[in-house]
Amino acid sequence: MKDITLGDIMHVYGSFGLQMDYTVRLCLRMADTVDGDVLRAAVENTQRRYPYLSVRMRDDGQKLWYDENGAPVELLHTVERISLNAPETNYHVWAVCYWEDFIYLDIYHGIADGAGMYMLLSTLLYYYCHGRYGVTDHRGVRTLDDPITPEESDDPMEHLPRLDLSKLPKPAMPEVFLLTRDGGMSPADTELWDIAIAEDAFLRFTSANDASPGTMVSLLLARSVDRLYPEREKGIYSSYVMNARPMLGAPLSHHNCVSSVMLNYSDRIRAMPFDRQCTVYRGITFVQSEAERVASVMTVMANRKRAVVQTAPTTAAKKQAFAQMLSGGRGRFTFLVSYVGQWKLPALGAYIREFWTHVPQANDLLVEISAVNGRIFLSIHQSLGDDRVVREFLGELDREGIRYEVCKRMKNDVARFQEASISR
Amino acid sequence: MLNIAKNMENNALTVSLEGRLDTTTAPRLEEVLKDSLEGVVSLTLDLEKLEYISSAGLRVLLSAEKTMHKQGKMKITHAGGAILEVFEVTGFADILTVE
């Protein structure tokens, strides 16, 4: 039996409370048609390497928890949405699908964040590329030859100091512009735009203007919203997700261990030349990602979550309480940008043609960025009735001479996640 | 182009910068500070003649502040309007001592 720990707990319960499938689909277009037999062996090896992710979610009425799951992780020959924690996936929290030249890793986001998923994915890809292409370079990849350490399944949020929350000052709540609430856009089912950009051209552009890819996307989106709503009275806030493992000294953890930088496209920034805007966006990320600051923010967060658990004695109460917490947090930013970073395993990257990250919808608009094999892949998720912001963003790229390709527009295809039925 | 002038009095070091602190020149300042800060208890960065600072420059200042936080104090003086604005908007002004 494994408890749901503080790094994961808000999104696990909160997503159920909001009736949202909190899953991620990592979509990899490989160099060739996928060999199902080789992939099956890769899935088996990967499952053996990550026993702590080989679990089934349970509910005893008081709380959710994970039970060990010895059944094989499923490999499905389909491109359709699947269901995790359900019969078709042997009640596992992750599964692999394939279709033509695509491999899809479907995984529950309540057990791992992007960095945690990349660890699992790199093992899967290594064993696949080893079997399919004879790749032997596994530097940076966890294989069956590596020991499974306790640090991999440890949640650093559990070790943060306890605080008396009543003594903390009430945080300032800035006035945030939301596209639906303030911009008059109608909410709609999530639509994905998968957009590929040549990495060398984009990096030349970002470095010439003193930005990084993530801050550049954040800034271009903020400028896009600003163009559409120049008279707005509230601030455009970008939540830029960061990996907090280095700040919490837990590089190996699979748990959700992220914090975020809040980038406010203020009037002062708006009045600056473009390259100055890039500089200050990066400067803000430096300041807000300082280890002490991140540890402090996450300590407060861990204590708030702990307080919610203590006041919600049943699973249903926890779902409701964390749903409120999650909803409140989502009103604090206009859009979200996440970039796990450049794919760091070139021996495997050589066989990846495309790499898309499809995630549950966190708010009106979010962008997932990945980069591999000379291209940057943006998956823009919009839950809006019109696509003006995306088109404005593409217009920003056009104006800057950045060539891109809209590879796909589609409904979100992340897996469904079946709620555990109460069992005592 | 960045000119770096150092003046050490007792354990107080003043580093005066002239020109542009950008991606190209920031590594040189980083190197100079790395080689000079041992035993220093007071570091002053005089930016009177600094015309431009990039994110690479900001990173070096943040790193210097971290080092000096452990062994003494650091302050920034005479920053011009544009650079001061960068400090204010980014939040660096809350971390650094800017005079």
Side-chain angles (χ1 to χ4, degrees):
Chain A
M1 173 181 163
K2 296 175 193 196
D3 286 329
I4 310 286
T5 52
L6 288 175
D8 305 324
I9 202 162
M10 178 176 70
H11 284 93
V12 168
Y13 286 104
S15 60
F16 287 128
L18 295 173
Q19 297 185 314
M20 176 180 70
D21 294 304
Y22 195 56
T23 59
V24 171
R25 170 165 269 199
L26 300 174
C27 318
L28 292 105
R29 189 173 193 185
M30 306 302 291
D32 304 291
T33 302
V34 174
D35 184 323
D37 293 332
V38 175
L39 187 56
R40 187 172 301 281
V43 171
E44 288 167 8
N45 284 334
T46 306
Q47 180 178 8
R48 285 169 56 206
R49 178 57 186 77
Y50 294 88
Y52 46 81
L53 298 179
S54 204
V55 293
R56 170 182 182 168
M57 184 178 279
R58 301 279 196 180
D59 182 356
D60 63 10
Q62 271 72 55
K63 65 179 190 309
L64 299 170
W65 46 281
Y66 293 117
D67 213 355
E68 286 179 14
N69 186 347
V73 168
E74 277 293 337
L75 174 68
L76 299 142
H77 188 208
T78 180
V79 71
E80 301 299 324
R81 289 181 74 180
I82 61 166
S83 293
L84 295 172
N85 208 49
E88 72 168 309
T89 49
N90 282 341
Y91 293 96
H92 274 287
V93 297
W94 67 279
V96 178
C97 300
Y98 69 104
W99 190 258
E100 297 176 347
D101 51 357
F102 269 93
I103 294 174
Y104 304 96
L105 172 60
D106 289 294
I107 181 165
Y108 184 47
H109 203 350
I111 202 165
D113 62 6
M117 291 173 198
Y118 267 36
M119 294 169 191
L120 183 78
L121 178 68
S122 60
T123 301
L124 177 74
L125 276 184
Y126 167 68
Y127 280 113
Y128 178 73
C129 291
H130 177 69
R132 182 81 164 85
Y133 302 108
V135 170
T136 55
D137 181 356
H138 54 78
R139 282 172 294 177
V141 179
R142 290 175 185 162
T143 69
L144 289 167
D145 296 329
D146 301 315
I148 299 166
T149 64
E151 289 80 8
E152 293 179 30
S153 50
D154 187 37
D155 183 348
M157 291 279 277
E158 291 284 336
H159 309 306
L160 294 171
R162 289 179 184 258
L163 299 175
D164 181 352
L165 291 172
S166 67
K167 291 183 178 165
L168 293 180
K170 206 173 176 188
M173 296 290 285
E175 290 282 304
V176 177
F177 180 80
L178 299 183
L179 290 160
T180 43
R181 184 188 64 196
D182 305 306
M185 291 192 174
S186 53
D189 288 342
T190 304
E191 184 187 27
L192 299 180
W193 291 59
D194 281 344
I195 299 163
I197 303 174
E199 188 178 33
D200 55 353
F202 194 64
L203 291 183
R204 269 200 304 277
F205 172 61
T206 56
S207 61
N209 286 290
D210 199 25
S212 63
T215 52
M216 178 60 83
V217 170
S218 298
L219 179 58
L220 292 180
L221 266 178
R223 288 164 59 99
S224 302
V225 176
D226 182 54
R227 273 178 194 273
L228 290 172
Y229 298 97
E231 304 300 326
R232 79 200 135 66
E233 292 176 352
K234 295 178 179 175
I236 300 169
Y237 283 79
S238 165
S239 172
Y240 181 44
V241 178
M242 82 173 110
N243 177 9
R245 286 172 178 74
M247 297 80 165
L248 299 188
L252 304 179
S253 177
H254 70 79
H255 291 281
N256 282 276
C257 190
V258 297
S259 186
S260 63
V261 173
M262 281 297 164
L263 298 162
N264 173 17
Y265 189 73
S266 64
D267 289 343
R268 289 181 82 177
I269 294 177
R270 185 193 203 190
M272 291 176 172
F274 184 60
D275 63 334
R276 289 279 84 183
Q277 293 180 336
C278 293
T279 299
V280 297
Y281 259 44
R282 284 203 88 185
I284 293 168
T285 64
F286 296 162
V287 169
Q288 292 190 21
S289 56
E290 277 289 284
E292 267 181 36
R293 185 177 184 133
V294 171
S296 165
V297 168
M298 295 191 76
T299 299
V300 172
M301 202 62 198
N303 279 274
R304 290 211 170 111
K305 291 175 182 176
R306 198 177 276 126
V308 169
V309 172
Q310 285 165 356
T311 56
T314 64
T315 303
K318 289 183 184 73
K319 287 177 181 177
Q320 189 181 11
F322 279 113
Q324 282 177 357
M325 197 175 184
L326 204 51
S327 298
R330 288 173 179 183
R332 294 182 187 176
F333 53 89
T334 310
F335 56 84
L336 182 146
V337 175
S338 176
Y339 178 32
V340 174
Q342 169 81 30
W343 181 258
K344 295 179 180 68
L345 308 165
L348 307 178
Y351 299 98
I352 303 171
R353 288 168 59 199
E354 296 176 11
F355 186 168
W356 308 103
T357 306
H358 298 167
V359 300
Q361 188 64 23
N363 72 335
D364 298 337
L365 188 68
L366 73 85
V367 184
E368 287 286 337
I369 310 171
S370 55
V372 66
N373 212 6
R375 289 209 290 173
I376 290 177
F377 300 96
L378 307 183
S379 291
I380 302 181
H381 302 54
Q382 66 152 4
S383 300
L384 302 165
D386 66 61
D387 49 23
R388 279 181 292 156
V389 179
V390 180
R391 294 205 176 279
E392 195 61 46
F393 173 76
L394 296 179
E396 287 274 354
L397 296 180
D398 285 330
R399 281 187 284 280
E400 300 299 341
I402 304 295
R403 295 181 64 185
Y404 58 84
E405 178 189 358
V406 178
C407 299
K408 211 177 279 184
R409 287 180 65 176
M410 57 188 284
K411 294 291 178 194
N412 205 345
D413 59 349
V414 297
R416 295 179 182 85
F417 195 86
Q418 184 174 296
E419 288 196 51
S421 52
I422 294 178
S423 56
R424 292 184 173 88
Chain B
M1 181 71 180
L2 179 73
N3 291 322
I4 304 171
K6 294 194 298 179
N7 182 33
M8 178 78 102
E9 283 185 24
N10 299 321
N11 290 325
L13 174 66
T14 299
V15 178
S16 303
L17 305 179
E18 180 181 1
R20 293 172 63 83
L21 182 54
D22 57 22
T23 314
T24 316
T25 58
R28 198 152 58 80
L29 176 63
E30 189 172 29
E31 196 66 26
V32 167
L33 291 175
K34 191 176 152 197
D35 293 343
S36 313
L37 290 184
E38 193 176 333
V40 170
V41 295
S42 173
L43 171 66
T44 301
L45 291 167
D46 185 344
L47 308 190
E48 185 174 8
K49 294 178 179 170
L50 191 69
E51 297 158 8
Y52 172 83
I53 188 165
S54 76
S55 62
L58 291 173
R59 200 189 277 278
V60 174
L61 298 191
L62 203 54
S63 172
E65 165 64 23
K66 271 189 205 167
T67 303
M68 291 310 300
H69 187 70
K70 292 178 197 154
Q71 64 189 57
K73 59 185 181 181
M74 172 178 134
K75 68 178 175 184
I76 288 176
T77 61
H78 304 113
I83 291 171
L84 210 50
E85 184 175 42
V86 169
F87 288 158
E88 287 170 1
V89 173
T90 54
F92 269 69
D94 300 329
I95 294 177
L96 307 176
T97 303
V98 182
E99 293 181 353

PDB file of all heavy atoms in Angstrom, chain A residues 197-198 201-206 220 394 396-404:
ATOM      1  N   ILE A 197       8.458  23.856 -35.014  1.00  0.00           N
ATOM      2  CA  ILE A 197       9.308  24.975 -35.408  1.00  0.00           C
ATOM      3  C   ILE A 197      10.739  24.460 -35.527  1.00  0.00           C
ATOM      4  O   ILE A 197      11.180  23.661 -34.682  1.00  0.00           O
ATOM      5  CB  ILE A 197       9.275  26.102 -34.339  1.00  0.00           C
ATOM      6  CG1 ILE A 197       7.835  26.574 -34.098  1.00  0.00           C
ATOM      7  CG2 ILE A 197      10.151  27.263 -34.743  1.00  0.00           C
ATOM      8  CD1 ILE A 197       7.705  27.582 -32.969  1.00  0.00           C
ATOM      9  N   ALA A 198      11.459  24.921 -36.538  1.00  0.00           N
ATOM     10  CA  ALA A 198      12.869  24.533 -36.672  1.00  0.00           C
ATOM     11  C   ALA A 198      13.647  25.100 -35.483  1.00  0.00           C
ATOM     12  O   ALA A 198      13.584  26.297 -35.201  1.00  0.00           O
ATOM     13  CB  ALA A 198      13.436  25.059 -37.978  1.00  0.00           C
ATOM     14  N   ALA A 201      16.511  27.968 -36.066  1.00  0.00           N
ATOM     15  CA  ALA A 201      15.991  29.312 -36.344  1.00  0.00           C
ATOM     16  C   ALA A 201      15.378  29.925 -35.086  1.00  0.00           C
ATOM     17  O   ALA A 201      15.571  31.107 -34.792  1.00  0.00           O
ATOM     18  CB  ALA A 201      14.934  29.244 -37.442  1.00  0.00           C
ATOM     19  N   PHE A 202      14.660  29.094 -34.329  1.00  0.00           N
ATOM     20  CA  PHE A 202      14.010  29.619 -33.129  1.00  0.00           C
ATOM     21  C   PHE A 202      15.048  30.002 -32.069  1.00  0.00           C
ATOM     22  O   PHE A 202      14.935  31.035 -31.404  1.00  0.00           O
ATOM     23  CB  PHE A 202      13.020  28.595 -32.565  1.00  0.00           C
ATOM     24  CG  PHE A 202      12.071  29.160 -31.553  1.00  0.00           C
ATOM     25  CD1 PHE A 202      11.156  30.137 -31.903  1.00  0.00           C
ATOM     26  CD2 PHE A 202      12.088  28.730 -30.238  1.00  0.00           C
ATOM     27  CE1 PHE A 202      10.276  30.676 -30.962  1.00  0.00           C
ATOM     28  CE2 PHE A 202      11.214  29.262 -29.295  1.00  0.00           C
ATOM     29  CZ  PHE A 202      10.307  30.237 -29.659  1.00  0.00           C
ATOM     30  N   LEU A 203      16.086  29.168 -31.937  1.00  0.00           N
ATOM     31  CA  LEU A 203      17.116  29.479 -30.946  1.00  0.00           C
ATOM     32  C   LEU A 203      17.908  30.719 -31.336  1.00  0.00           C
ATOM     33  O   LEU A 203      18.301  31.508 -30.475  1.00  0.00           O
ATOM     34  CB  LEU A 203      18.054  28.288 -30.735  1.00  0.00           C
ATOM     35  CG  LEU A 203      17.423  27.087 -30.031  1.00  0.00           C
ATOM     36  CD1 LEU A 203      18.462  25.987 -29.804  1.00  0.00           C
ATOM     37  CD2 LEU A 203      16.789  27.486 -28.699  1.00  0.00           C
ATOM     38  N   ARG A 204      18.134  30.883 -32.644  1.00  0.00           N
ATOM     39  CA  ARG A 204      18.807  32.119 -33.096  1.00  0.00           C
ATOM     40  C   ARG A 204      17.977  33.341 -32.714  1.00  0.00           C
ATOM     41  O   ARG A 204      18.485  34.334 -32.213  1.00  0.00           O
ATOM     42  CB  ARG A 204      19.007  32.096 -34.617  1.00  0.00           C
ATOM     43  CG  ARG A 204      20.340  31.498 -35.060  1.00  0.00           C
ATOM     44  CD  ARG A 204      20.690  31.926 -36.477  1.00  0.00           C
ATOM     45  NE  ARG A 204      19.661  31.606 -37.449  1.00  0.00           N
ATOM     46  CZ  ARG A 204      19.516  30.433 -38.037  1.00  0.00           C
ATOM     47  NH1 ARG A 204      20.348  29.451 -37.746  1.00  0.00           N
ATOM     48  NH2 ARG A 204      18.555  30.219 -38.902  1.00  0.00           N
ATOM     49  N   PHE A 205      16.690  33.209 -32.939  1.00  0.00           N
ATOM     50  CA  PHE A 205      15.762  34.300 -32.623  1.00  0.00           C
ATOM     51  C   PHE A 205      15.719  34.570 -31.117  1.00  0.00           C
ATOM     52  O   PHE A 205      15.811  35.716 -30.669  1.00  0.00           O
ATOM     53  CB  PHE A 205      14.372  33.924 -33.142  1.00  0.00           C
ATOM     54  CG  PHE A 205      13.270  34.844 -32.730  1.00  0.00           C
ATOM     55  CD1 PHE A 205      13.281  36.186 -33.091  1.00  0.00           C
ATOM     56  CD2 PHE A 205      12.203  34.372 -31.977  1.00  0.00           C
ATOM     57  CE1 PHE A 205      12.247  37.030 -32.701  1.00  0.00           C
ATOM     58  CE2 PHE A 205      11.178  35.213 -31.595  1.00  0.00           C
ATOM     59  CZ  PHE A 205      11.206  36.544 -31.951  1.00  0.00           C
ATOM     60  N   THR A 206      15.613  33.507 -30.330  1.00  0.00           N
ATOM     61  CA  THR A 206      15.527  33.711 -28.878  1.00  0.00           C
ATOM     62  C   THR A 206      16.825  34.279 -28.331  1.00  0.00           C
ATOM     63  O   THR A 206      16.809  35.217 -27.532  1.00  0.00           O
ATOM     64  CB  THR A 206      15.184  32.399 -28.125  1.00  0.00           C
ATOM     65  OG1 THR A 206      16.148  31.414 -28.450  1.00  0.00           O
ATOM     66  CG2 THR A 206      13.808  31.911 -28.464  1.00  0.00           C
ATOM     67  N   LEU A 220       5.602  35.910 -26.156  1.00  0.00           N
ATOM     68  CA  LEU A 220       4.829  36.051 -27.402  1.00  0.00           C
ATOM     69  C   LEU A 220       3.336  35.844 -27.145  1.00  0.00           C
ATOM     70  O   LEU A 220       2.490  36.515 -27.741  1.00  0.00           O
ATOM     71  CB  LEU A 220       5.328  35.068 -28.463  1.00  0.00           C
ATOM     72  CG  LEU A 220       6.744  35.330 -29.012  1.00  0.00           C
ATOM     73  CD1 LEU A 220       7.113  34.281 -30.057  1.00  0.00           C
ATOM     74  CD2 LEU A 220       6.856  36.726 -29.614  1.00  0.00           C
ATOM     75  N   LEU A 394       0.520  32.921 -33.712  1.00  0.00           N
ATOM     76  CA  LEU A 394       1.155  32.541 -34.980  1.00  0.00           C
ATOM     77  C   LEU A 394       1.532  33.788 -35.779  1.00  0.00           C
ATOM     78  O   LEU A 394       2.557  33.812 -36.470  1.00  0.00           O
ATOM     79  CB  LEU A 394       0.221  31.631 -35.798  1.00  0.00           C
ATOM     80  CG  LEU A 394      -0.093  30.280 -35.145  1.00  0.00           C
ATOM     81  CD1 LEU A 394      -1.054  29.469 -36.015  1.00  0.00           C
ATOM     82  CD2 LEU A 394       1.169  29.472 -34.879  1.00  0.00           C
ATOM     83  N   GLU A 396       2.523  36.537 -34.427  1.00  0.00           N
ATOM     84  CA  GLU A 396       3.778  37.007 -33.822  1.00  0.00           C
ATOM     85  C   GLU A 396       4.964  36.273 -34.445  1.00  0.00           C
ATOM     86  O   GLU A 396       5.987  36.873 -34.765  1.00  0.00           O
ATOM     87  CB  GLU A 396       3.768  36.772 -32.300  1.00  0.00           C
ATOM     88  CG  GLU A 396       2.868  37.714 -31.521  1.00  0.00           C
ATOM     89  CD  GLU A 396       3.543  39.031 -31.159  1.00  0.00           C
ATOM     90  OE1 GLU A 396       4.752  39.168 -31.409  1.00  0.00           O
ATOM     91  OE2 GLU A 396       2.854  39.935 -30.653  1.00  0.00           O
ATOM     92  N   LEU A 397       4.816  34.952 -34.613  1.00  0.00           N
ATOM     93  CA  LEU A 397       5.890  34.180 -35.248  1.00  0.00           C
ATOM     94  C   LEU A 397       6.120  34.666 -36.677  1.00  0.00           C
ATOM     95  O   LEU A 397       7.268  34.836 -37.122  1.00  0.00           O
ATOM     96  CB  LEU A 397       5.551  32.684 -35.244  1.00  0.00           C
ATOM     97  CG  LEU A 397       5.438  31.983 -33.892  1.00  0.00           C
ATOM     98  CD1 LEU A 397       5.099  30.505 -34.096  1.00  0.00           C
ATOM     99  CD2 LEU A 397       6.727  32.098 -33.090  1.00  0.00           C
ATOM    100  N   ASP A 398       5.016  34.904 -37.400  1.00  0.00           N
ATOM    101  CA  ASP A 398       5.127  35.397 -38.786  1.00  0.00           C
ATOM    102  C   ASP A 398       5.886  36.717 -38.825  1.00  0.00           C
ATOM    103  O   ASP A 398       6.787  36.905 -39.643  1.00  0.00           O
ATOM    104  CB  ASP A 398       3.729  35.598 -39.395  1.00  0.00           C
ATOM    105  CG  ASP A 398       3.062  34.277 -39.756  1.00  0.00           C
ATOM    106  OD1 ASP A 398       3.789  33.321 -40.084  1.00  0.00           O
ATOM    107  OD2 ASP A 398       1.820  34.211 -39.696  1.00  0.00           O
ATOM    108  N   ARG A 399       5.497  37.617 -37.953  1.00  0.00           N
ATOM    109  CA  ARG A 399       6.126  38.949 -37.952  1.00  0.00           C
ATOM    110  C   ARG A 399       7.619  38.863 -37.658  1.00  0.00           C
ATOM    111  O   ARG A 399       8.402  39.680 -38.121  1.00  0.00           O
ATOM    112  CB  ARG A 399       5.432  39.868 -36.927  1.00  0.00           C
ATOM    113  CG  ARG A 399       4.126  40.460 -37.408  1.00  0.00           C
ATOM    114  CD  ARG A 399       3.581  41.480 -36.424  1.00  0.00           C
ATOM    115  NE  ARG A 399       2.987  40.862 -35.254  1.00  0.00           N
ATOM    116  CZ  ARG A 399       1.752  40.347 -35.216  1.00  0.00           C
ATOM    117  NH1 ARG A 399       0.977  40.389 -36.269  1.00  0.00           N
ATOM    118  NH2 ARG A 399       1.276  39.789 -34.121  1.00  0.00           N
ATOM    119  N   GLU A 400       8.001  37.878 -36.862  1.00  0.00           N
ATOM    120  CA  GLU A 400       9.422  37.743 -36.533  1.00  0.00           C
ATOM    121  C   GLU A 400      10.158  36.843 -37.522  1.00  0.00           C
ATOM    122  O   GLU A 400      11.340  36.539 -37.330  1.00  0.00           O
ATOM    123  CB  GLU A 400       9.571  37.175 -35.101  1.00  0.00           C
ATOM    124  CG  GLU A 400       8.939  38.033 -34.021  1.00  0.00           C
ATOM    125  CD  GLU A 400       9.542  39.422 -33.923  1.00  0.00           C
ATOM    126  OE1 GLU A 400      10.661  39.619 -34.420  1.00  0.00           O
ATOM    127  OE2 GLU A 400       8.876  40.326 -33.359  1.00  0.00           O
ATOM    128  N   GLY A 401       9.451  36.395 -38.536  1.00  0.00           N
ATOM    129  CA  GLY A 401      10.091  35.572 -39.563  1.00  0.00           C
ATOM    130  C   GLY A 401      10.390  34.153 -39.127  1.00  0.00           C
ATOM    131  O   GLY A 401      11.274  33.497 -39.688  1.00  0.00           O
ATOM    132  N   ILE A 402       9.677  33.672 -38.105  1.00  0.00           N
ATOM    133  CA  ILE A 402       9.885  32.302 -37.627  1.00  0.00           C
ATOM    134  C   ILE A 402       8.964  31.369 -38.413  1.00  0.00           C
ATOM    135  O   ILE A 402       7.743  31.510 -38.362  1.00  0.00           O
ATOM    136  CB  ILE A 402       9.553  32.168 -36.121  1.00  0.00           C
ATOM    137  CG1 ILE A 402      10.365  33.166 -35.299  1.00  0.00           C
ATOM    138  CG2 ILE A 402       9.764  30.747 -35.627  1.00  0.00           C
ATOM    139  CD1 ILE A 402      11.829  32.938 -35.311  1.00  0.00           C
ATOM    140  N   ARG A 403       9.555  30.427 -39.111  1.00  0.00           N
ATOM    141  CA  ARG A 403       8.740  29.490 -39.891  1.00  0.00           C
ATOM    142  C   ARG A 403       8.258  28.361 -38.996  1.00  0.00           C
ATOM    143  O   ARG A 403       8.989  27.852 -38.159  1.00  0.00           O
ATOM    144  CB  ARG A 403       9.554  28.936 -41.055  1.00  0.00           C
ATOM    145  CG  ARG A 403       9.927  30.039 -42.050  1.00  0.00           C
ATOM    146  CD  ARG A 403      10.714  29.481 -43.202  1.00  0.00           C
ATOM    147  NE  ARG A 403       9.926  28.540 -43.983  1.00  0.00           N
ATOM    148  CZ  ARG A 403      10.411  27.837 -44.994  1.00  0.00           C
ATOM    149  NH1 ARG A 403      11.683  27.961 -45.342  1.00  0.00           N
ATOM    150  NH2 ARG A 403       9.646  27.021 -45.673  1.00  0.00           N
ATOM    151  N   TYR A 404       7.001  28.002 -39.191  1.00  0.00           N
ATOM    152  CA  TYR A 404       6.414  26.944 -38.378  1.00  0.00           C
ATOM    153  C   TYR A 404       5.497  26.103 -39.254  1.00  0.00           C
ATOM    154  O   TYR A 404       5.130  26.507 -40.362  1.00  0.00           O
ATOM    155  CB  TYR A 404       5.617  27.549 -37.202  1.00  0.00           C
ATOM    156  CG  TYR A 404       4.527  28.486 -37.647  1.00  0.00           C
ATOM    157  CD1 TYR A 404       3.271  28.007 -38.031  1.00  0.00           C
ATOM    158  CD2 TYR A 404       4.756  29.852 -37.739  1.00  0.00           C
ATOM    159  CE1 TYR A 404       2.281  28.863 -38.466  1.00  0.00           C
ATOM    160  CE2 TYR A 404       3.774  30.715 -38.180  1.00  0.00           C
ATOM    161  CZ  TYR A 404       2.533  30.217 -38.536  1.00  0.00           C
ATOM    162  OH  TYR A 404       1.560  31.070 -38.986  1.00  0.00           O
TER     163      TYR A 404
END
